[in-house]
Amino acid sequence: MKYVLRPEDVPSYSPANHSGTKNYRLVAPGVNGAQFMEIIYGDIERHSGAVAHAHPDMEQATYVIDGEAIVEIDGIKHHVSSGDLLFFPAKVFHDIQVISERIKLLVIYAPPYGEAPEKVIKRATPKGT
């Protein structure tokens, strides 16, 4: 079991519905046997981020380590920066657009997400677009 990890200890991946993003899974069932949560270190480039989406049966908390972004949660835009903690309840739409050179985040999912894009709720696209 690995109980102490650094992002460079695990492979990076680019999550679905995101651009310019490298994630590093630090706590998860397949990494160190975690059963009830998952913790990701995220690094997102300027002008990149995530499109609006929601998770049906999972809560997400995100701590901003370094950088700035505009985050929309349940239709309300927030300017976030280092030291801010974001909470995304289940079924609440959220997105992020990085405005600094990059943003570094810790993302906590409960229960573990396991990068399962089929579990994501996407906004309906208006007809004709």
Side-chain angles (χ1 to χ4, degrees):
M1 277 300 154
K2 291 189 175 187
Y3 297 114
V4 177
L5 288 168
R6 292 182 175 92
E8 59 267 19
D9 294 338
V10 297
S12 68
Y13 67 94
S14 297
N17 305 310
H18 289 66
S19 63
T21 303
K22 283 188 179 178
N23 278 356
Y24 302 82
R25 192 171 279 114
L26 299 175
V27 174
V31 176
N32 42 23
Q35 297 179 49
F36 305 108
M37 72 169 143
E38 182 175 17
I39 300 177
I40 308 292
Y41 173 80
D43 186 344
I44 310 172
E45 301 170 355
R46 180 183 204 121
H47 303 302
S48 298
V51 298
H53 65 284
H55 304 280
D57 300 311
M58 180 180 65
E59 295 177 325
Q60 176 182 341
T62 300
Y63 179 77
V64 180
I65 297 168
D66 189 37
E68 296 179 77
I70 301 300
V71 177
E72 187 171 332
I73 306 168
D74 203 17
I76 300 171
K77 291 189 179 193
H78 306 269
H79 176 267
V80 300
S81 59
S82 305
D84 288 341
L85 179 75
L86 319 170
F87 175 63
F88 309 121
K91 300 178 185 145
V92 170
F93 280 92
H94 55 278
D95 67 28
I96 182 170
Q97 293 302 313
V98 179
I99 58 174
S100 58
E101 191 61 35
R102 62 187 335 99
I103 196 166
K104 296 179 182 183
L105 312 161
L106 270 186
V107 180
I108 300 125
Y109 296 117
Y113 176 46
E115 187 56 27
E118 70 278 4
K119 295 180 183 175
V120 170
I121 304 168
K122 297 179 184 176
R123 284 210 170 127
T125 304
K127 290 183 179 181
T129 59

